[in-house]
Amino acid sequence: MAVDPSDDHEQLPCGTSADTLLEHLRAGTVTAHERTCPHCRAAADEFRPLLSALGAALDDDREVTAPPGLLDDVMSAVRAEGRSRGTLRLPDTGSGGTPGDTRVRHSAVSAMLRARVDPAGGLVLGRCRIEDTLEGLVVTATARVLTGTVIPDATARARRDMSTFVEDRLGLRVARIDIDVTDVIDLP
């Protein structure tokens, strides 16, 4: 299955830009369309916790300590994914060492993990499920491989890339990453 480079995940089904909607919400300048459109209202509901956290952080005298680029990664993934109910609670990266109030949806983490696996390595991730256990994060993914790919090498590289992301960017431990190769594909 080829990825369509013209596929723009930053547009809501109604055609409104998710970035524009987010800016309007932040500035309090929501348009009449954005107030009544079911797509815009659903996206606004998704953005509210982020905007609330951002407002609280701006009102707080403490320095915001989210890892660099995490917000961009999360927002890109949220735009690309459907809604999921499960969330992960990220640890506080400040000096306190206690869990913070930052939560990221499982679907966003799944999308970010899929994005970390370079298809040029011969492995294309499909479904990616997340489970938060006492031992750490358990990731279960399906994948397709290109003909001629050395499967153990490609899956080991994918596991390493996903594990590095979870530990370095999200600050979580990885208990296990399972990758089930479901198909071998040929490129035209």
Side-chain angles (χ1 to χ4, degrees):
M1 181 170 137
V3 176
D4 181 1
S6 66
D7 191 14
D8 184 4
H9 292 291
E10 295 185 10
Q11 299 291 321
L12 299 176
C14 64
T16 299
S17 163
D19 290 332
T20 301
L21 175 61
L22 183 57
E23 286 304 314
H24 289 167
L25 289 167
R26 286 183 70 195
T29 59
V30 178
T31 67
H33 166 82
E34 293 164 344
R35 278 191 296 275
T36 59
C37 171
H39 302 292
C40 291
R41 289 180 27 214
D45 288 343
E46 292 287 325
F47 290 145
R48 276 195 181 80
L50 176 65
L51 292 170
S52 176
L54 180 60
L58 292 175
D59 292 340
D60 195 344
D61 291 339
R62 293 181 297 162
E63 182 177 325
V64 177
T65 58
L70 178 61
L71 180 61
D72 292 336
D73 290 343
V74 170
M75 291 311 299
S76 293
V78 166
R79 291 180 196 117
E81 289 296 315
R83 289 181 178 73
S84 69
R85 299 289 181 229
T87 60
L88 293 174
R89 187 176 198 178
L90 300 184
D92 183 13
T93 57
S95 60
T98 58
D101 289 331
T102 303
R103 294 180 184 271
V104 180
R105 288 185 184 273
H106 286 193
S107 60
V109 174
S110 294
M112 289 185 281
L113 289 174
R114 281 194 304 276
R116 293 303 177 260
V117 177
D118 186 1
L123 188 75
V124 179
L125 281 188
R127 183 181 358 196
C128 185
R129 298 195 187 259
I130 306 296
E131 182 183 357
D132 194 12
T133 69
L134 293 175
E135 294 80 30
L137 212 59
V138 174
V139 179
T140 306
T142 60
R144 295 177 295 151
V145 295
L146 299 176
T147 301
T149 299
V150 179
I151 295 172
D153 293 345
T155 55
R157 188 172 35 253
R159 283 186 190 94
R160 184 183 63 244
D161 293 345
M162 290 191 293
S163 181
T164 298
F165 173 78
V166 168
E167 292 169 358
D168 294 350
R169 296 292 289 239
L170 299 178
L172 299 170
R173 289 184 323 165
V174 174
R176 187 176 76 243
I177 298 177
D178 296 325
I179 301 175
D180 181 25
V181 176
T182 60
D183 197 10
V184 178
I185 54 175
D186 291 314
L187 288 180

